[in-house]
């Protein structure tokens, strides 16, 4: 509800007023203030104001009068009412043309009509509108609080707002994940997650609308496709922005016309209501998350004395321990690098990281549901810890199918994210969870050191690697390994010639010089030179089986990062 120039012209006090410019806009232009003004205008006129003037001091000078009218137009006033009869008898056509050029409303007023009476009549209408708007706003506030007291779903609150603001709304958590949406959401919602991953939603840069209204100052706008999205922060008790309210406007909608005082009041009541709703929900969710994380930690630390004790705790947090599980550890390897490439504010990294882990966990849950498997998951020490239900008849195939599905979906959503996986063995009884977790940790370390990041290794396929790990724990063995490998490493640093890769390839082809030279793209004589250099640096003979075995063992152990 707003007061237009058309409404003002219908007042009895202005029955003899005449519109001489901008007549086609009287039903659209809004008036929020009224004042009497003479030269100079300076900064005394406000936006959307009805300005009354006698043109004293400039009415007899066309140039000065034009300048005065231009100043009023520049102040973004809505309408200028000029009293005719003493200082000006007729508004010049040049001034009328100026007003029409700027779609500005110009009105002639009879000299007999007092400005004080016009001001009184307009202020009465404005106060009446403000009173009615205030009552409507209070009613909305009461109805929103009633929804909270009734523990209504967030979707109902979203639909209530849609009915009152006239446009679809979306409510998200602090990372932009949709928690509720109203009816009539446009098609671009299908790409919402993509915009989140790119850092477009929610907007993080402090760019808000210019206004004296503190509520409007909090609003940020996001341009996507054919829409203008208004983003409002939901501030919780801690004073931090925890969640967001989005209003989806068509791009051709004027923000000035949409953000009426009534709409702004609704949005202000809405974010308060949503903050209360989330505060209650988050208290419950945080308690559940702590319980889940605590339970899994107790499992991997072997703190339960019996399966019955663990099972009773599992029921409380909603887990089922009556099925066999295997431990899987996933290590996201390059999230920090990806964030830095986006050139976002460093302070936004914790939220961005939280959103990335959230997406990955979502895909893990989805993969488990698709395969009809139970899953327990938490994120700690920069790693995803997963316990996946398996079939004892085909453990390997079950885990492979699960990780293949996770990887396929992540490549679609987060194509540049690299994750390494370590898969433990299945171990019986309650201590089997701890043993499986320890197996997965070893498998992950071997995967990273031997195969490099972005791969996966099963513990049962690491027997040789575990032998090497065990050998490397012996101090004498460490010294033998380093004395054998270090000369080759130093030579590579000095000459940029990778002799370790040369001997590894040579061993792979079982000492066949021709095949080794072909694989390394080397001339036969160049390869023979390298092999002689290896013998010279290590003091070992490549034709002696024992020396060759020691060299191969030392390099394999060194490559795993054991020394």
């Amino acid at each position: 509800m707003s007061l237009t120039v058309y409404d003002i012209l219908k007042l009895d006090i202005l029955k003899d007023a005449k519109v001489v410019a901008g007549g086609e806009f009287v039903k659209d232009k809004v008036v929020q203030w009224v004042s009497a003004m003479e030269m100079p205008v300076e900064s005394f006129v406000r936006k959307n104001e009805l300005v009354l003037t006698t043109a004293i001091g400039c009415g007899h000078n066309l140039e000065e009068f034009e300048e005065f009218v231009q100043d009023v137009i520049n102040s973004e006033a809505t309408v200028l009412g000029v009293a005719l009869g003493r200082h000006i008898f007729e508004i010049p056509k040049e001034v009328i043309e100026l007003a029409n050029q700027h779609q500005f409303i110009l009105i002639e007023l009879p000299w007999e009509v007092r400005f004080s009476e016009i001001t009184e009549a307009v202020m009465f209408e404005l106060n009446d509108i403000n009173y009615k708007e205030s009552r409507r706003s209070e009613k909305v506030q009461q109805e929103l609080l009633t929804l909270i007291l009734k523990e209504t779903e967030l979707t109902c609150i979203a639909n209530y707002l849609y009915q009152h603001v006239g446009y679809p709304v979306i409510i998200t958590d602090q990372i932009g994940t949709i928690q509720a949406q109203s009816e009539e959401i446009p098609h671009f919602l299908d790409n919402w997650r993509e915009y989140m991953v790119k850092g477009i939603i929610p907007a993080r840069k402090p760019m808000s609308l210019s206004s004296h209204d503190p509520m409007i100052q909090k609003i940020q706008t996001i341009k996507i496709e054919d829409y203008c999205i208004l983003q409002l922060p939901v501030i919780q008790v801690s004073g931090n922005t925890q969640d967001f309210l989005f209003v989806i406007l068509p791009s051709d909608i004027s923000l000035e016309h949409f953000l009426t005082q009534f709409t702004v009041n609704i949005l202000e009541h809405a974010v308060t209501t949503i903050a209360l709703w989330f505060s209650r929900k988050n208290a419950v969710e945080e308690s559940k998350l702590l319980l889940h994380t605590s339970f899994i930690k107790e499992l991997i630390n072997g703190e339960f004395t019996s399966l019955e004790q663990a099972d009773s705790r599992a029921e409380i947090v909603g887990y089922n321990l009556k099925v066999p599980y295997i431990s899987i550890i996933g290590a996201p390897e390059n999230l920090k690098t990806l964030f830095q490439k986006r050139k976002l504010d460093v302070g936004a990294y914790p939220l961005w990281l939280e959103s990335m882990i959230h997406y990955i966990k979502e895909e893990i849950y989805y993969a488990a549901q698709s395969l009809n498997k139970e899953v327990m998951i938490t994120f700690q020490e920069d790693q995803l810890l997963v316990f996946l239900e398996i079939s004892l008849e085909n453990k390997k195939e079950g885990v492979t199918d699960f990780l293949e599905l996770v990887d396929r979906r992540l490549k679609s959503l987060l194509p540049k994210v690299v994750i390494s996986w370590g898969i433990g063995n299945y171990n019986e009884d309650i201590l089997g969870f701890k043993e499986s977790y320890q197996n997965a940790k070893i498998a992950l370390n071997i995967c990273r050191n031997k195969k490099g990041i972005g791969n996966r290794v099963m513990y049962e396929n690491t027997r040789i690697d575990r032998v090497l790990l065990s050998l490397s724990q012996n101090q004498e063995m460490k010294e033998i390994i380093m004395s054998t490998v270090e000369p080759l490493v130093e030579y590579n640093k000095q000459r940029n010639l990778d002799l370790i890769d040369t001997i590894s390839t040579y061993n792979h082809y079982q000492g066949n010089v021709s095949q080794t030279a072909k694989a390394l793209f080397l001339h036969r004589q160049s390869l023979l030179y390298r092999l002689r250099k290896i013998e010279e640096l290590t003091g070992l003979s490549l034709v002696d089986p024992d020396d060759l075995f020691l060299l191969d063992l030392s390099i394999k152990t060194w490559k795993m990062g054991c020394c």
Side-chain angles (χ1 to χ4, degrees):
M1 186 182 297
S2 55
L3 186 68
T4 66
V5 178
Y6 178 77
D7 298 324
I8 293 173
L9 291 171
K10 290 194 298 182
L11 297 174
D12 287 340
I13 192 70
L14 293 176
K15 62 182 179 179
D16 295 324
K18 179 182 177 183
V19 178
V20 295
E24 62 268 39
F25 305 111
V26 295
K27 291 187 177 181
D28 301 319
K29 296 284 187 176
V30 174
V31 172
Q32 294 178 308
W33 320 94
V34 58
S35 67
M37 175 65 59
E38 307 296 347
M39 289 186 68
V41 174
E42 295 183 347
S43 60
F44 297 111
V45 175
R46 289 167 288 192
K47 186 176 181 179
N48 297 333
E49 188 163 343
L50 163 59
V51 179
L52 305 173
T53 185
T54 64
I56 187 173
C58 65
H60 300 297
N61 186 309
L62 175 59
E63 188 174 314
E64 288 185 356
F65 186 46
E66 278 187 295
E67 183 179 343
F68 171 71
V69 174
Q70 183 66 62
D71 287 345
V72 174
I73 293 172
N74 293 341
S75 69
E76 298 185 80
T78 298
V79 55
L80 176 64
V82 183
L84 303 183
R86 179 169 298 180
H87 305 291
I88 186 170
F89 297 96
E90 182 182 23
I91 298 178
K93 63 178 183 179
E94 292 86 353
V95 173
I96 293 174
E97 289 176 1
L98 174 66
N100 282 324
Q101 287 172 9
H102 291 84
Q103 299 180 354
F104 182 71
I105 302 172
L106 208 54
I107 300 174
E108 291 180 349
L109 302 172
W111 181 263
E112 296 77 19
V113 179
R114 293 175 179 156
F115 285 177
S116 60
E117 293 177 353
I118 297 175
T119 301
E120 182 182 5
V122 173
M123 286 303 302
F124 179 84
E125 295 296 323
L126 287 172
N127 290 335
D128 184 56
I129 288 174
N130 289 335
Y131 174 76
K132 291 176 180 176
E133 293 284 77
S134 176
R135 294 299 300 271
R136 286 175 67 199
S137 177
E138 289 174 5
K139 182 181 178 183
V140 168
Q141 183 182 32
Q142 291 169 1
E143 290 174 347
L144 283 169
L145 289 175
T146 300
L147 292 176
I148 286 290
L149 293 174
K150 290 182 177 179
E151 298 188 3
T152 306
E153 291 295 324
L154 198 57
T155 301
C156 295
I157 296 175
N159 282 324
Y160 178 88
L161 294 176
Y162 170 53
Q163 294 168 8
H164 283 78
V165 302
Y167 294 97
V169 302
I170 294 173
I171 302 169
T172 77
D173 60 18
Q174 61 180 338
I175 61 177
T177 304
I178 295 176
Q179 303 296 304
Q181 61 191 62
S182 67
E183 301 168 352
E184 303 297 329
I185 292 295
H187 71 279
F188 86 86
L189 183 62
D190 298 338
N191 300 320
W192 187 271
R193 181 182 286 184
E194 180 182 340
Y195 293 123
M196 289 170 58
V197 171
K198 290 180 178 179
I200 298 173
I201 296 175
R204 300 293 182 188
K205 295 182 180 179
M207 294 175 59
S208 56
L209 300 174
S210 58
S211 171
H212 296 295
D213 190 315
M215 184 63 192
I216 295 179
Q217 289 176 3
K218 297 175 184 177
I219 297 175
Q220 291 183 266
T221 59
I222 306 170
K223 304 289 185 180
I224 295 181
E225 298 180 20
D226 295 326
Y227 298 93
C228 175
I229 304 175
L230 302 189
Q231 172 184 301
L232 291 87
V234 177
I235 311 297
Q236 292 193 7
V237 178
S238 62
N240 297 320
T241 299
Q242 298 292 330
D243 312 286
F244 292 98
L245 170 64
F246 295 91
V247 183
I248 316 299
L249 303 176
S251 57
D252 59 350
I253 294 296
S254 167
L255 292 181
E256 181 182 344
H257 288 152
F258 172 72
L259 292 172
T260 62
Q261 191 58 53
F262 176 65
T263 302
V264 171
N265 289 342
I266 288 179
L267 295 176
E268 186 168 13
H269 297 324
V271 294
T272 303
T273 303
I274 294 167
L276 291 172
W277 193 95
F278 271 115
S279 293
R280 184 180 63 196
K281 173 181 176 289
N282 289 344
V284 175
E285 290 295 327
E286 285 176 13
S287 297
K288 286 174 62 178
L289 182 61
L290 287 173
L291 286 172
H292 286 193
T293 301
S294 175
F295 175 74
I296 293 175
K297 281 185 177 179
E298 290 178 72
L299 275 180
I300 64 177
N301 291 333
E303 296 179 20
F304 293 108
T305 57
S306 67
L307 188 58
E308 290 73 22
Q309 179 195 17
D311 196 39
S312 63
R313 281 283 308 281
E315 288 181 4
I316 296 174
V317 295
Y319 288 144
N320 176 18
L321 294 189
K322 293 182 173 63
V323 296
Y325 287 93
I326 197 169
S327 177
I328 304 172
I329 300 179
E333 306 283 12
N334 62 335
L335 293 181
K336 190 84 173 182
T337 303
L338 290 178
F339 175 80
Q340 291 170 345
K341 286 182 178 179
R342 294 187 181 280
K343 298 180 180 179
L344 299 174
D345 179 37
V346 175
Y349 179 70
L351 280 178
W352 184 87
L353 176 63
E354 185 178 341
S355 67
M356 293 299 105
I357 298 304
H358 174 81
Y359 304 144
I360 295 170
K361 288 171 71 173
E362 265 195 347
E363 297 309 322
I364 291 173
Y365 280 121
Y366 175 86
Q369 290 173 356
S370 299
L371 298 172
N372 198 27
K373 300 292 184 182
E374 296 277 348
V375 68
M376 299 184 289
I377 180 172
T378 187
F379 182 75
Q380 60 183 31
E381 298 177 0
D382 296 327
Q383 293 180 344
L384 294 149
L385 173 55
V386 181
F387 280 103
L388 176 71
E389 177 192 353
I390 56 165
S391 168
L392 296 179
E393 289 74 31
N394 58 349
K395 299 188 291 292
K396 186 173 182 179
E397 292 79 1
V399 173
T400 300
D401 291 344
F402 169 76
L403 289 179
E404 287 289 347
L405 182 55
V406 171
D407 284 345
R408 279 201 307 272
R409 289 184 60 85
L410 285 177
K411 282 178 181 176
S412 174
L413 173 64
L414 308 169
K416 295 183 180 179
V417 172
V418 176
I419 302 179
S420 305
W421 300 97
I423 302 118
N425 264 5
Y426 167 70
N427 296 276
E428 294 183 351
D429 205 18
I430 188 61
L431 290 179
F433 287 95
K434 178 181 179 180
E435 293 167 359
S436 184
Y437 167 70
Q438 296 293 344
N439 294 163
K441 281 180 66 177
I442 293 171
L444 177 62
N445 288 334
I446 291 173
C447 171
R448 285 166 146 177
N449 293 326
K450 185 177 180 181
K451 289 191 171 184
I453 64 173
N455 291 287
R456 71 177 78 133
V457 166
M458 300 190 76
Y459 180 78
E460 63 183 45
N461 297 332
T462 63
R463 287 178 295 179
I464 294 176
D465 304 297
R466 281 180 274 138
V467 169
L468 296 176
L469 281 170
S470 179
L471 284 173
S472 69
Q473 303 307 309
N474 180 279
Q475 185 59 37
E476 186 177 358
M477 187 62 190
K478 280 185 179 180
E479 292 173 1
I480 292 172
I481 291 169
M482 293 313 298
S483 65
T484 303
V485 177
E486 268 188 344
L488 304 179
V489 174
E490 288 301 318
Y491 189 82
N492 185 23
K493 289 180 181 178
Q494 295 171 8
R495 304 292 182 87
N496 195 27
L497 193 62
D498 193 348
L499 297 180
I500 291 178
D501 183 53
T502 300
I503 190 60
S504 297
T505 307
Y506 179 74
N507 284 333
H508 176 76
Y509 288 104
Q510 299 177 343
N512 188 305
V513 174
S514 298
Q515 289 182 332
T516 303
K518 185 177 180 181
L520 294 173
F521 301 101
L522 290 174
H523 189 275
R524 179 184 177 89
Q525 292 303 317
S526 297
L527 174 60
L528 291 174
Y529 168 79
R530 291 191 182 190
L531 295 176
R532 286 195 297 270
K533 180 57 70 175
I534 290 170
E535 290 180 321
E536 177 188 328
L537 292 169
T538 61
L540 300 174
S541 171
L542 299 185
V543 296
D544 185 325
D546 290 340
D547 284 359
L548 193 59
F549 172 75
L550 176 60
L551 183 57
D552 188 42
L553 177 66
S554 299
I555 289 173
K556 283 181 176 176
T557 309
W558 175 82
K559 278 186 174 180
M560 290 178 58
C562 303
C563 303

